[in-house]
Amino acid sequence: MFRRARSSTGPAVCLSGQFPKVDAEEVMRGRVRLAGLPPAELGPEVDWRADPHGNRSWMLNLHALRWAGGLVAAHERTGDPAPLGRAAALVEDWIRRNPRSGPGTSSWAWAEHAVALRAPVLVCLSEHADTPLLRRSLEEHGRVLADPALYRQGHNHGLDQDIALLVVGVRLGRDAWRDLAVRRMTASAELAIDADGVLHEQAPRYGVYVHRRLGVALLAIERSGLVPPPRLAARRAALETYITHATQPDGRLAPIGDSPADVRPPRFAYAEPPVRVFAAGYVFGRTAWDDPRSAFYSIRFGPGRRLHGHEDHLGVTFHAQGRPVLVEAGFHSYERTGYVAWTRSPEAHNVPVVAGARFRPGTATRLAASEIGPARQAFRLTDDAYGVPRTREVLVDHGRQVLAVLDSVPAGSALRSLWHFDPSLSVLDRGDGPGAGVVLLGDGERRVRLLQFAVPETGPPRPVGGQGVRPALVATGHLRTAEAVTVVSPEAARLLTLVVPGDAEPRIGLADGLVTVDGVPVPVPPLGGQSQSRRLKTR
């Protein structure tokens, strides 16, 4: 909630409603729950260098003091003075024992995001316990927040810095700080969010975070007595289109980049076609809105990896009948482990990997052509991330619910395609002989088949066997994993992969330039010789 202070300097624009709700009695006993980890016993005297879980996110949250802000919010809800007294004691202890650049100060104490998240706690506390020590600390926080050398422009941390500088500036009567914060917010939002609503941090989860924090920013500006900039509000509204398209039929956000697989974003109003190409590097498609059994897919391209993105270009995800089929390794944590590094690598995504070639991180991928119709869509993407041209053509046919992917590299090179299946699916059979190139997966009554064909320059595709099947860990949420199946194709210069959901074994027909699945034609390649983008009318 937002409240104004009774102060001769300036009002306390208190953002206590944004603090996490805490069990006040538990926190007052010295037990805290941070970053989704088990509770930790801090005791009556906090060791500000403690790291009981060996976890970076836990340390950031400890020094952000938002959990102490939860005590201030508890006092405001109940009128009980005890939580407020404990919050004041915790903050005073933190200030005294964590001088900036002090020899015993944790490196997390004055990390730029910790400062940004902590300053609003100090502002809220100052409404009820305004001491000279607290005022001096607010001054120091304001100087750090206003320092251009420490500012993260165009980043979600920068937005939190701006919110903090705004409320500190208002509380201390520093109009220059207040006005700087609002100017930076607007410029930063226009840098971070394009006109289509895509956040350049390359993870839809951060689009949700920035949308929520921009709501806080706009309300804080109003409560400061200023008029919210229309350009800032417009960029926040644009985010809603991006978030809506990135939401799967099951209500969860597509786990692209640093986006946990269990995030359920808010629902927004929309009047959009079910397929949307975002120039910043995303294709999202579905058969229908508001249908939990809708098909859904995503495709990645665009600028090279940055911020919260992964090396996922040319990667696809796929849902059929409202259930996930192809997934990616997703987001596990911010820890510096081999597994986390792997989740960001190409091998953790559904992509073609060029055999024997070295991957070049940060390579951009171009969407070279597209056809978007009401029942089927096709896309061609290309890059040189392995030093040779790498092309992927994707066809989604909603009539038969088939995903067809043609991967190719020049003669003399070869590739392997990687396919990560949802943890609910296990391998039931692998075809040999006449059934070569078929992997059957299932879950109870559900069946999904992966079929692969070598595609010569002339002549019909031919089934190709030798698929590798191996276990992999995919992240199902923050610090959570599940074992899944990864299928690795044999090497080929041109490889066609079909993913076909359905109980019955599909009837496959092979001809020069055409594959049929239960009578449904799949052109090979899906876009023919077309080299320019083309968009079909949708109905």
Side-chain angles (χ1 to χ4, degrees):
M1 89 187 185
F2 286 76
R3 299 187 54 170
R4 290 180 178 273
R6 300 167 298 281
S7 168
S8 58
T9 303
V13 180
C14 181
L15 312 178
S16 62
Q18 300 300 316
F19 301 148
K21 286 189 177 181
V22 299
D23 182 328
E25 292 185 3
E26 184 177 70
V27 175
M28 290 169 66
R29 291 196 304 269
R31 170 180 272 206
V32 298
R33 302 171 188 266
L34 304 175
L37 290 161
E41 301 289 346
L42 297 182
E45 291 194 16
V46 178
D47 176 3
W48 296 106
R49 295 183 64 85
D51 186 6
H53 298 290
N55 184 275
R56 292 162 53 81
S57 296
W58 193 92
M59 290 292 289
L60 169 66
N61 279 271
L62 175 70
H63 286 276
L65 293 182
R66 286 166 55 81
W67 51 280
L71 293 177
V72 178
H75 163 72
E76 293 182 344
R77 287 194 306 271
T78 66
D80 184 355
L84 180 64
R86 181 57 178 158
L90 285 165
V91 170
E92 179 174 327
D93 185 62
W94 186 93
I95 293 171
R96 293 188 185 281
R97 294 172 58 193
N98 288 281
R100 193 175 176 206
S101 302
T105 300
S106 166
S107 61
W108 287 98
W110 290 93
E112 42 84 12
H113 204 201
V115 174
L117 296 175
R118 186 173 58 242
V121 177
L122 273 57
V123 169
C124 286
L125 180 61
S126 76
E127 182 174 20
H128 306 282
D130 194 1
T131 66
L133 178 67
L134 186 57
R135 284 276 168 156
R136 289 194 296 273
S137 187
L138 279 171
E139 289 276 359
E140 186 166 25
H141 279 68
R143 288 193 295 272
V144 172
L145 292 164
D147 186 344
L150 301 176
Y151 180 55
R152 299 291 302 277
Q153 185 179 28
H155 193 282
N156 69 86
H157 291 192
L159 174 58
D160 288 332
Q161 289 173 306
D162 292 335
I163 294 170
L165 184 61
L166 171 66
V167 298
V168 170
V170 171
R171 183 61 170 144
L172 298 180
R174 298 290 192 90
D175 291 351
W177 283 356
R178 177 200 66 189
D179 296 343
L180 172 63
V182 176
R183 287 197 307 272
R184 291 197 316 194
M185 278 182 201
T186 305
S188 192
E190 292 183 330
L191 177 65
I193 307 163
D194 70 18
D196 290 333
V198 177
L199 185 75
H200 74 162
E201 296 193 39
Q202 296 185 348
R205 166 67 182 90
Y206 279 87
V208 176
Y209 180 81
V210 169
H211 183 273
R212 178 168 62 83
R213 296 299 287 167
L214 281 173
V216 173
L218 291 167
L219 188 52
I221 292 170
E222 285 184 359
R223 296 302 175 108
S224 299
L226 303 176
V227 177
R231 289 159 48 202
L232 188 62
R235 289 298 160 126
R236 179 177 188 252
L239 273 171
E240 297 173 7
T241 298
Y242 170 54
I243 294 167
T244 297
H245 278 278
T247 302
Q248 301 166 156
D250 61 6
R252 295 181 175 87
L253 204 62
I256 295 171
D258 288 344
S259 300
D262 56 355
V263 172
R264 291 185 176 273
R267 291 170 58 89
F268 301 112
Y270 53 84
E272 289 272 322
V275 180
R276 176 73 183 263
V277 177
F278 291 92
Y282 301 86
V283 179
F284 295 114
R286 69 193 71 223
T287 47
W289 294 105
D290 294 329
D291 180 359
R293 289 182 61 80
S294 169
F296 175 87
Y297 63 91
S298 70
I299 309 172
R300 279 285 286 127
F301 65 99
R305 176 183 178 267
R306 61 177 303 173
L307 299 173
H308 291 286
H310 291 185
E311 294 289 2
D312 56 2
H313 285 187
L314 278 69
V316 302
T317 66
F318 183 49
H319 285 225
Q321 298 176 337
R323 298 187 63 184
V325 176
L326 293 174
V327 300
E328 297 183 326
F331 170 76
H332 177 264
S333 68
Y334 297 111
E335 297 308 292
R336 293 172 177 170
T337 66
Y339 175 69
V340 170
W342 176 79
T343 64
R344 298 183 180 127
S345 72
E347 289 77 12
H349 303 85
N350 300 312
V351 300
V353 174
V354 179
R358 186 173 181 176
F359 178 70
R360 302 190 299 186
T363 302
T365 299
R366 183 170 63 94
L367 177 62
S370 63
E371 290 184 2
I372 301 176
R376 62 165 53 191
Q377 297 90 46
F379 308 90
R380 178 186 295 134
L381 307 100
T382 185
D383 66 24
D384 59 353
Y386 288 88
V388 298
R390 180 180 66 150
T391 300
R392 166 162 280 188
E393 297 196 46
V394 180
L395 171 68
V396 185
D397 190 295
H398 299 300
R400 178 53 184 86
Q401 287 209 13
V402 60
L403 173 73
V405 179
L406 177 65
D407 293 318
S408 60
V409 288
S413 296
L415 58 81
R416 290 182 182 270
S417 60
L418 306 172
W419 304 99
H420 304 281
F421 286 88
D422 184 73
S424 66
L425 295 167
S426 58
V427 174
L428 303 180
D429 192 18
R430 296 171 62 182
D432 293 314
V438 181
V439 179
L440 174 65
L441 303 100
D443 169 21
E445 298 297 319
R446 184 164 68 134
R447 297 290 183 269
V448 176
R449 288 170 175 80
L450 178 141
L451 305 92
Q452 294 190 310
F453 307 86
V455 181
E457 290 293 341
T458 59
R462 63 178 186 276
V464 57
Q467 283 73 19
V469 176
R470 65 192 188 198
L473 282 181
V474 300
T476 56
H478 181 235
L479 296 174
R480 297 198 306 275
T481 60
E483 189 169 287
V485 170
T486 297
V487 177
V488 184
S489 78
E491 290 186 7
R494 300 181 79 215
L495 182 75
L496 175 66
T497 301
L498 303 181
V499 178
V500 186
D503 297 338
E505 184 173 352
R507 293 178 290 105
I508 304 297
L510 302 176
D512 192 358
L514 189 69
V515 175
T516 59
V517 181
D518 292 336
V520 175
V522 177
V524 183
L527 287 167
Q530 181 178 316
S531 60
Q532 298 298 317
S533 293
R534 182 159 60 96
R535 183 180 179 90
L536 301 184
K537 289 182 66 175
T538 59
R539 295 195 293 271

